[in-house]
Amino acid sequence: MRQVFYLVRKNLRRKPFRSWLMIGCMALACATLFLAAVLSRGIQDTLQTSRERFGADIVVVPAEARDEALSVLISGDPTTFYMPSSLEAKVRQTPGVGRTSAQVFLRSLDAACCVVQVALVGYDPERDFTIAPWVLRKTGGPQRDNQIIVGAKVISAVVGSPEKAIGQRLIFMGKPFTVATILEPTGLGTDYTVFLTLNVAYRLTWESPLYPVPVNKDEISAIMVRVEDGEDPAAVAGSIEAKNPEVAALTANLLTRFFSRELRTLVEILFLAGGVFSFLALALTGSLFALSVRQRLREIGLFRAMGARRKVVFQLIVLEAVCIAGAGGLLGVLAGFCAAYFSRDRITEMIGNMYIWPGGQSLFAVALLILLAALAAGILGGLYPACRVSGLDPYEAIRKGE
Amino acid sequence: MIRLENIGKRYQRSDVLQRIDWRIADSAFVLVTGRSGGGKTTLLSIMGGLTRPDEGRVLIDDVDIWRLSEPELAALRNRKLGFVFQFPSLIPTLRVLDNVLLPIAFGGRSPNREDREFAGSLLAMVGIADKEKAYPSQLSGGQQRRAAIARALINRPSIILADEPTGDLDESTEAEIMSLFQNINRQGVTIVMVTHALDYAALGTACLLKNQQLFPYPAGPSPESAAGEESRHGE
Ligand SMILES: Nc1ncnc2c1ncn2[C@@H]1O[C@H](COP(=O)(O)OP(=O)(O)OP(=O)(O)O)[C@@H](O)[C@H]1O
Ligand SMILES: [Mg+2]
């Protein structure tokens, strides 16, 4: 076997350009596949995490507000829509529904406090389960009426670190509030949301001279729903919508939509390119390799005449193919990794900062998978010429090589 | 001893060899001649286990080589036989010394120091001791042929099958290589050589391959004299 390896090495050095061409083709295909796989893996991870951060399994909103609602939840765009609060009870009775909690979205005015536009949301601190997990630091006691909870990006731009924001006084619609606590960044709409208690929210719309149309206490904007353990959110959402045609029940799955179209196109293009490159690389490398074997027929016949066993010739050819494919795979994965590493920030920017890069383990798994695929391609690509050539009589091989 | 019994070979229905019976004693020096395309290389290949005859048997030391398994036949080619081909046959990617050592590797072991020394002495014997480190492309045609002869001898075979080893060489080089084979033969190695250089027929027994059959050369006991045919060949 050592001898076989030695001959393979010698042979690969014979025509370095051709060897590198084959390796390069494989590398290009592997690099593209690696990038595509890493990006799509990242998207999956991001979706997974977003779902966890979404807090609710289902968000029930008025049917006609489906699209606006998504933009509040995802990006914190301030919009308003209302439905009767009696719906919460109906939703809660739907089989599979575990907990519910209502929220009311206020029309936010350009707040003097903040650089970014913020969404004002009234929520029920007693029943809420969506923001509690994100509270950065617990403040003692229940939220008082003049206290607000703010998303990570609401004021950190103004005061610097989020920690410093706690205790700050902010004015909303002419009323002063103190920041009770701040939420960890979620990458979702909560980052740009200011949470008030429900009662305060309603009162604000009545009392503030600035608020155009007051909101009644029997109006709510959204019902956050947590399904019972083991229930499928999509199924429960379906039955909520079936029973209450006036609402839309959004699941975290809809988040998928909010990956920018460019990103999805990019990943699609990468996969397509990876597929095309792989095909071309396999075709080109395969035919170059077959050619190089054909050109060496006489040599192979000579090896046999000198006493090389059929098996040895077979190993020689397969090993050579595997070396080419393996080197290509390794280089490709490395190149893909470098490309991902160096364009990391640009990609993140393009995708939006909620994008989470796959961790080392996933990267390693993807790299390994692609490397294995390259090796398998090498074995398959080597097998055919190896079978053909090692099946020949030495004399036939020598003659055909002339 | 090599015995051919009733050997026949055809390609696409045209016969190249027909009913050839031949015995070659140990340590013999046999020359085979015949017109181009007459089947000399084919005959040598059948004897050497490189291509299977359509009919008949080849016995080397009473072993029917075409009934051996593939690994056994490979081992026989490796140990008992040495080939010198009609065309340049060194591996261009390997240095001369490594070329000479190649049959040892195919025999299933890495060459050791002894092997290297023996390879060096063979190269000295064929007169290119200074070319050990050279690549084949840096050698002349005659030097390449000498290296190929050294390679054929590395596993101390009992039989050398040489196919026109002096085919494209000048006369003085031809003479040197012929005497080289003579020396090898004196050490007890059977030599079967295809050649057109019939001036050397006296080195051993000569045969003429004609009409798919073997005849003694020059004139033999058979009624159709080979000599007449040979003169036509010369026209
Ligand atoms: N694999 C093959 N397929 C078809 N025909 C073949 C094959 N091998 C040999 N032949 C034919 O058989 C005949 C004998 O070929 P061979 O090479 O044995 O002749 P030769 O006596 O060695 O000739 P030369 O002196 O030119 O080397 C030729 O006509 C050749 O074309
Ligand atoms: Mg010939």
Coordinates of all heavy atoms in Angstrom, one line a residue, chain A residues 2-3 6-7 10-11 13-14 298-299 301-312 393-396 398-399 402, chain B residues 11 41-42 45 50-52 70-71 74 77-78 83 85 87-89 91-94 98 102-103 105-106 110-111 151:
Chain A
R2 N 2.0 1.2 0.7 CA 2.9 2.4 0.7 C 3.4 2.6 -0.6 O 3.6 3.7 -1.1 CB 4.0 2.1 1.7 CG 4.2 3.3 2.7 CD 5.3 3.0 3.6 NE 6.6 3.2 3.0 CZ 7.7 2.5 3.4 NH1 7.7 1.6 4.3 NH2 8.9 2.8 2.8
Q3 N 3.7 1.5 -1.3 CA 4.3 1.6 -2.7 C 3.2 2.2 -3.6 O 3.6 3.0 -4.5 CB 4.6 0.2 -3.2 CG 5.7 -0.4 -2.3 CD 7.0 0.3 -2.4 OE1 7.4 0.8 -3.5 NE2 7.6 0.6 -1.2
Y6 N 3.1 5.8 -3.1 CA 4.3 6.4 -3.7 C 4.1 6.6 -5.2 O 4.4 7.7 -5.7 CB 5.4 5.5 -3.3 CG 6.7 5.7 -4.1 CD1 7.6 6.7 -3.8 CD2 7.1 4.8 -5.2 CE1 8.7 6.9 -4.5 CE2 8.2 5.0 -5.8 CZ 9.1 6.0 -5.5 OH 10.2 6.2 -6.2
L7 N 3.6 5.6 -5.8 CA 3.3 5.8 -7.3 C 2.3 6.8 -7.6 O 2.4 7.6 -8.5 CB 2.9 4.4 -7.9 CG 4.0 3.4 -8.0 CD1 3.5 2.1 -8.4 CD2 5.1 3.9 -9.0
K10 N 3.9 10.2 -7.2 CA 4.7 10.5 -8.4 C 3.9 10.9 -9.6 O 4.2 11.8 -10.3 CB 5.6 9.3 -8.7 CG 6.6 9.0 -7.7 CD 7.7 10.0 -7.9 CE 8.8 9.7 -6.9 NZ 9.9 10.7 -6.9
N11 N 2.8 10.2 -9.7 CA 2.0 10.4 -10.9 C 1.3 11.8 -10.9 O 1.1 12.4 -11.9 CB 1.0 9.3 -11.1 CG 0.3 9.4 -12.4 OD1 1.0 9.4 -13.5 ND2 -1.0 9.6 -12.5
R13 N 2.4 14.3 -9.6 CA 3.3 15.4 -9.9 C 3.7 15.4 -11.3 O 4.4 16.4 -11.8 CB 4.6 15.2 -9.0 CG 4.3 15.5 -7.6 CD 5.6 15.9 -6.9 NE 5.5 15.8 -5.5 CZ 6.3 15.2 -4.7 NH1 7.4 14.7 -5.2 NH2 6.1 15.2 -3.4
R14 N 3.3 14.4 -12.1 CA 3.8 14.4 -13.5 C 3.2 15.5 -14.2 O 3.9 16.2 -15.0 CB 3.3 13.0 -14.1 CG 3.6 13.0 -15.6 CD 3.1 11.7 -16.2 NE 3.2 10.6 -15.4 CZ 3.1 9.3 -15.8 NH1 3.0 9.1 -17.1 NH2 3.2 8.3 -15.0
R298 N -0.5 2.1 -21.2 CA 0.7 1.3 -21.5 C 1.4 1.1 -20.2 O 1.9 0.0 -19.8 CB 1.6 2.0 -22.5 CG 2.9 1.2 -22.6 CD 3.8 2.0 -23.4 NE 3.5 1.8 -24.9 CZ 4.3 2.2 -25.8 NH1 5.5 2.8 -25.6 NH2 4.0 1.9 -27.1
E299 N 1.5 2.2 -19.4 CA 2.2 2.1 -18.1 C 1.6 1.1 -17.2 O 2.3 0.3 -16.5 CB 2.2 3.5 -17.5 CG 3.2 3.8 -16.5 CD 3.2 5.3 -16.2 OE1 3.5 6.1 -17.1 OE2 2.9 5.6 -15.0
G301 N -0.2 -1.4 -18.2 CA 0.1 -2.8 -18.7 C 1.5 -3.2 -18.3 O 1.7 -4.4 -17.9
L302 N 2.4 -2.2 -18.3 CA 3.8 -2.5 -17.9 C 3.9 -3.0 -16.4 O 4.5 -3.9 -16.1 CB 4.7 -1.3 -18.1 CG 5.0 -1.0 -19.5 CD1 5.8 0.3 -19.6 CD2 5.9 -2.1 -20.1
F303 N 3.1 -2.2 -15.6 CA 3.1 -2.6 -14.2 C 2.6 -4.0 -14.0 O 3.2 -4.8 -13.3 CB 2.1 -1.7 -13.4 CG 2.5 -0.3 -13.2 CD1 1.7 0.7 -12.8 CD2 3.8 0.1 -13.4 CE1 2.1 2.0 -12.5 CE2 4.3 1.4 -13.2 CZ 3.4 2.3 -12.8
R304 N 1.6 -4.4 -14.8 CA 1.1 -5.7 -14.7 C 2.1 -6.7 -15.2 O 2.3 -7.8 -14.6 CB -0.2 -5.9 -15.5 CG -1.4 -5.0 -15.1 CD -2.3 -5.6 -14.0 NE -2.6 -7.0 -14.1 CZ -3.6 -7.5 -14.9 NH1 -4.4 -6.6 -15.5 NH2 -3.8 -8.7 -14.9
A305 N 2.8 -6.4 -16.3 CA 3.8 -7.3 -16.8 C 4.9 -7.5 -15.8 O 5.5 -8.5 -15.7 CB 4.4 -6.7 -18.1
M306 N 5.2 -6.4 -15.0 CA 6.3 -6.6 -13.9 C 5.8 -7.3 -12.7 O 6.5 -7.5 -11.8 CB 6.7 -5.2 -13.5 CG 7.6 -4.5 -14.6 SD 8.2 -2.9 -13.9 CE 7.4 -1.8 -14.9
G307 N 4.5 -7.7 -12.7 CA 4.0 -8.5 -11.6 C 3.1 -7.8 -10.7 O 2.7 -8.3 -9.6
A308 N 2.6 -6.6 -11.1 CA 1.6 -5.9 -10.3 C 0.3 -6.7 -10.4 O -0.2 -7.0 -11.5 CB 1.4 -4.5 -10.7
R309 N -0.3 -6.9 -9.3 CA -1.6 -7.6 -9.3 C -2.7 -6.7 -9.7 O -2.6 -5.5 -9.6 CB -2.0 -8.2 -7.9 CG -1.1 -9.4 -7.6 CD -1.3 -9.8 -6.1 NE -2.7 -10.0 -5.9 CZ -3.2 -10.4 -4.7 NH1 -2.4 -10.6 -3.7 NH2 -4.5 -10.6 -4.6
R310 N -3.8 -7.3 -10.3 CA -4.9 -6.5 -10.7 C -5.4 -5.6 -9.6 O -5.7 -4.4 -9.8 CB -6.0 -7.5 -11.0 CG -7.1 -7.0 -11.9 CD -7.9 -8.2 -12.4 NE -7.4 -8.6 -13.7 CZ -8.0 -9.6 -14.4 NH1 -9.0 -10.2 -13.9 NH2 -7.5 -9.9 -15.6
K311 N -5.4 -6.1 -8.4 CA -5.8 -5.4 -7.2 C -5.0 -4.1 -7.0 O -5.5 -3.1 -6.6 CB -5.7 -6.3 -6.0 CG -6.6 -5.9 -4.8 CD -6.4 -6.8 -3.6 CE -5.3 -6.4 -2.7 NZ -4.9 -7.3 -1.7
V312 N -3.7 -4.3 -7.2 CA -2.8 -3.1 -7.0 C -3.1 -2.0 -8.0 O -3.1 -0.8 -7.6 CB -1.3 -3.6 -7.1 CG1 -0.4 -2.4 -7.2 CG2 -1.0 -4.5 -6.0
D393 N -6.2 -7.4 -20.1 CA -5.0 -8.2 -20.2 C -3.8 -7.2 -20.2 O -3.9 -6.1 -20.8 CB -4.9 -8.9 -21.5 CG -5.4 -10.4 -21.4 OD1 -5.6 -10.8 -20.2 OD2 -5.5 -11.0 -22.4
P394 N -2.7 -7.5 -19.6 CA -1.6 -6.6 -19.6 C -1.2 -6.3 -21.1 O -0.9 -5.1 -21.4 CB -0.4 -7.4 -19.0 CG -1.1 -8.4 -18.1 CD -2.4 -8.7 -18.7
Y395 N -1.2 -7.3 -21.9 CA -0.9 -7.1 -23.3 C -1.8 -6.1 -24.0 O -1.4 -5.2 -24.8 CB -0.8 -8.4 -24.1 CG -0.5 -8.3 -25.5 CD1 0.7 -7.8 -25.9 CD2 -1.3 -8.8 -26.5 CE1 1.1 -7.7 -27.3 CE2 -1.0 -8.8 -27.8 CZ 0.2 -8.2 -28.2 OH 0.5 -8.1 -29.6
E396 N -3.1 -6.3 -23.7 CA -4.1 -5.4 -24.3 C -3.9 -4.0 -23.8 O -4.0 -3.1 -24.6 CB -5.5 -5.8 -23.8 CG -6.3 -6.7 -24.7 CD -7.6 -7.1 -24.0 OE1 -7.6 -7.9 -23.1 OE2 -8.6 -6.4 -24.4
I398 N -1.2 -2.6 -22.8 CA 0.0 -2.1 -23.5 C -0.3 -1.7 -24.9 O 0.1 -0.6 -25.4 CB 1.2 -3.2 -23.4 CG1 1.7 -3.3 -22.0 CG2 2.3 -2.8 -24.4 CD1 2.6 -4.5 -21.8
R399 N -1.0 -2.5 -25.6 CA -1.3 -2.2 -27.0 C -2.2 -1.0 -27.1 O -2.0 -0.1 -27.9 CB -2.0 -3.4 -27.7 CG -1.0 -4.4 -28.3 CD -1.8 -5.4 -29.1 NE -2.4 -4.8 -30.2 CZ -1.9 -4.8 -31.5 NH1 -0.7 -5.3 -31.7 NH2 -2.5 -4.2 -32.5
E402 N -0.8 2.5 -26.9 CA 0.2 3.0 -27.9 C -0.5 4.1 -28.7 O -1.7 4.2 -28.8 CB 0.6 1.8 -28.8 CG 1.7 1.0 -28.1 CD 2.1 -0.2 -28.9 OE1 1.3 -1.2 -28.8 OE2 3.1 -0.2 -29.7
Chain B
Y11 N -7.2 -12.9 -33.7 CA -7.8 -11.6 -33.5 C -8.8 -11.3 -34.5 O -8.5 -11.4 -35.7 CB -6.8 -10.4 -33.5 CG -5.7 -10.5 -32.5 CD1 -4.4 -10.7 -32.8 CD2 -6.0 -10.3 -31.1 CE1 -3.4 -10.8 -31.8 CE2 -5.1 -10.3 -30.2 CZ -3.7 -10.6 -30.5 OH -2.8 -10.6 -29.5
T41 N 5.4 -10.7 -31.1 CA 5.1 -10.1 -29.8 C 4.0 -10.9 -29.2 O 4.0 -11.1 -28.0 CB 4.7 -8.6 -30.0 OG1 5.9 -8.0 -30.6 CG2 4.4 -8.0 -28.7
T42 N 3.0 -11.3 -30.0 CA 1.9 -12.0 -29.5 C 2.4 -13.3 -28.8 O 1.9 -13.7 -27.7 CB 0.9 -12.3 -30.6 OG1 0.5 -11.1 -31.2 CG2 -0.4 -13.0 -30.1
S45 N 4.0 -12.7 -25.6 CA 3.1 -12.3 -24.6 C 2.3 -13.5 -24.0 O 2.0 -13.6 -22.8 CB 2.1 -11.3 -25.1 OG 2.7 -10.2 -25.7
L50 N 1.0 -12.6 -20.5 CA 0.4 -11.2 -20.7 C -0.9 -11.3 -21.5 O -1.7 -10.4 -21.4 CB 1.4 -10.3 -21.4 CG 2.7 -10.1 -20.7 CD1 3.6 -9.1 -21.4 CD2 2.5 -9.6 -19.2
T51 N -1.0 -12.3 -22.3 CA -2.3 -12.4 -23.0 C -2.6 -13.9 -23.2 O -1.7 -14.7 -23.4 CB -2.3 -11.7 -24.3 OG1 -3.7 -11.6 -24.8 CG2 -1.4 -12.3 -25.4
R52 N -3.9 -14.2 -23.0 CA -4.3 -15.6 -23.0 C -4.4 -16.2 -24.4 O -5.0 -15.5 -25.3 CB -5.7 -15.6 -22.3 CG -6.3 -17.0 -22.0 CD -7.6 -16.8 -21.3 NE -7.5 -16.4 -19.9 CZ -7.2 -17.3 -18.9 NH1 -7.1 -18.6 -19.2 NH2 -7.1 -16.9 -17.7
E70 N -5.3 -15.2 -10.9 CA -4.7 -13.9 -11.3 C -3.5 -13.5 -10.4 O -2.4 -13.2 -10.9 CB -5.7 -12.8 -11.3 CG -5.3 -11.5 -12.0 CD -4.6 -10.6 -11.1 OE1 -4.9 -10.5 -9.9 OE2 -3.7 -9.9 -11.6
P71 N -3.7 -13.6 -9.0 CA -2.5 -13.3 -8.2 C -1.3 -14.2 -8.4 O -0.2 -13.8 -8.4 CB -3.1 -13.4 -6.8 CG -4.5 -13.4 -6.9 CD -4.9 -13.9 -8.2
A74 N 0.4 -13.2 -11.5 CA 1.1 -12.0 -11.3 C 2.4 -12.3 -10.6 O 3.5 -11.7 -10.9 CB 0.2 -11.0 -10.5
R77 N 4.9 -13.8 -13.0 CA 5.5 -12.7 -13.8 C 6.5 -12.0 -13.1 O 7.6 -11.6 -13.6 CB 4.4 -11.8 -14.3 CG 3.5 -12.3 -15.4 CD 2.7 -11.2 -16.1 NE 1.7 -10.6 -15.2 CZ 0.4 -10.8 -15.3 NH1 -0.1 -11.5 -16.3 NH2 -0.5 -10.2 -14.5
N78 N 6.2 -11.8 -11.8 CA 7.1 -11.0 -11.0 C 8.4 -11.7 -10.6 O 9.5 -11.1 -10.6 CB 6.3 -10.6 -9.7 CG 7.1 -9.7 -8.8 OD1 7.5 -10.0 -7.7 ND2 7.2 -8.4 -9.3
F83 N 10.6 -9.0 -18.5 CA 10.3 -8.6 -19.8 C 11.2 -7.4 -20.2 O 11.4 -6.5 -19.4 CB 8.8 -8.1 -19.9 CG 7.8 -9.2 -19.8 CD1 7.3 -9.6 -18.6 CD2 7.4 -9.8 -21.0 CE1 6.4 -10.6 -18.6 CE2 6.5 -10.8 -20.9 CZ 6.0 -11.3 -19.7
F85 N 10.7 -4.8 -23.3 CA 9.7 -4.5 -24.4 C 10.4 -3.9 -25.6 O 11.5 -3.4 -25.6 CB 8.6 -3.6 -23.8 CG 7.8 -4.4 -22.8 CD1 8.1 -4.3 -21.5 CD2 6.7 -5.1 -23.2 CE1 7.3 -5.0 -20.5 CE2 5.9 -5.8 -22.3 CZ 6.3 -5.7 -20.9
F87 N 9.3 -1.3 -27.0 CA 9.2 0.2 -27.0 C 9.8 0.6 -25.7 O 10.0 -0.2 -24.7 CB 7.8 0.6 -27.0 CG 6.9 -0.2 -26.1 CD1 6.8 0.2 -24.7 CD2 6.2 -1.4 -26.4 CE1 6.1 -0.5 -23.8 CE2 5.5 -2.1 -25.5 CZ 5.4 -1.6 -24.2
P88 N 10.2 1.9 -25.6 CA 10.7 2.4 -24.3 C 9.7 2.2 -23.2 O 8.5 2.5 -23.3 CB 10.8 3.9 -24.6 CG 10.8 4.1 -26.0 CD 10.0 3.0 -26.6
S89 N 10.2 1.6 -22.1 CA 9.2 1.1 -21.1 C 9.5 1.6 -19.7 O 8.9 1.1 -18.8 CB 9.1 -0.4 -21.2 OG 10.3 -0.9 -20.8
I91 N 9.3 4.1 -16.5 CA 8.2 4.9 -16.1 C 8.8 6.4 -15.9 O 9.8 6.6 -15.2 CB 7.7 4.5 -14.7 CG1 7.3 3.0 -14.8 CG2 6.5 5.3 -14.2 CD1 6.3 2.7 -15.8
P92 N 8.2 7.3 -16.7 CA 8.9 8.6 -16.8 C 8.9 9.4 -15.5 O 9.8 10.3 -15.3 CB 8.0 9.4 -17.8 CG 6.8 8.6 -17.9 CD 7.1 7.2 -17.5
T93 N 8.0 9.0 -14.5 CA 8.0 9.8 -13.3 C 9.0 9.3 -12.3 O 9.2 10.0 -11.2 CB 6.6 9.7 -12.6 OG1 6.2 8.4 -12.6 CG2 5.6 10.6 -13.4
L94 N 9.7 8.2 -12.5 CA 10.6 7.6 -11.6 C 12.0 7.7 -12.1 O 12.3 7.6 -13.3 CB 10.2 6.2 -11.3 CG 8.8 5.8 -10.9 CD1 8.6 4.4 -10.7 CD2 8.5 6.6 -9.6
D98 N 14.8 3.9 -9.3 CA 13.5 3.5 -8.8 C 12.8 2.7 -9.8 O 12.0 1.8 -9.5 CB 12.7 4.8 -8.4 CG 13.3 5.5 -7.3 OD1 13.8 4.8 -6.4 OD2 13.3 6.8 -7.3
L102 N 11.2 -1.1 -9.2 CA 9.8 -1.2 -9.2 C 9.2 -2.7 -9.1 O 8.3 -2.9 -8.3 CB 9.3 -0.6 -10.5 CG 7.8 -0.1 -10.6 CD1 7.5 0.8 -9.4 CD2 7.6 0.7 -11.8
P103 N 9.8 -3.7 -9.8 CA 9.3 -5.0 -9.7 C 9.3 -5.5 -8.2 O 8.5 -6.3 -7.8 CB 10.2 -5.8 -10.6 CG 10.7 -4.9 -11.6 CD 10.8 -3.6 -10.9
A105 N 8.8 -3.7 -5.6 CA 7.6 -3.2 -4.9 C 6.3 -4.0 -5.3 O 5.5 -4.3 -4.5 CB 7.4 -1.7 -5.3
F106 N 6.2 -4.3 -6.6 CA 5.1 -5.1 -7.1 C 5.0 -6.5 -6.5 O 4.0 -7.1 -6.4 CB 5.0 -5.1 -8.6 CG 4.6 -3.8 -9.2 CD1 5.3 -3.3 -10.3 CD2 3.6 -3.0 -8.6 CE1 4.9 -2.0 -10.8 CE2 3.2 -1.8 -9.1 CZ 3.9 -1.3 -10.2
S110 N 8.8 -3.3 0.3 CA 9.6 -2.1 0.0 C 11.0 -2.5 -0.2 O 11.6 -3.4 0.5 CB 9.5 -1.2 1.2 OG 8.2 -1.0 1.6
P111 N 11.7 -1.9 -1.2 CA 13.1 -2.3 -1.5 C 13.9 -1.9 -0.3 O 13.8 -0.8 0.3 CB 13.4 -1.4 -2.7 CG 12.1 -0.9 -3.3 CD 11.1 -0.9 -2.2
R151 N 16.1 -3.7 -15.1 CA 14.9 -3.8 -14.4 C 14.3 -5.3 -14.6 O 13.8 -5.8 -13.6 CB 13.9 -2.8 -14.9 CG 12.6 -2.8 -14.1 CD 11.6 -1.8 -14.6 NE 11.2 -2.0 -16.0 CZ 10.5 -1.2 -16.7 NH1 10.1 0.0 -16.2 NH2 10.2 -1.5 -17.9

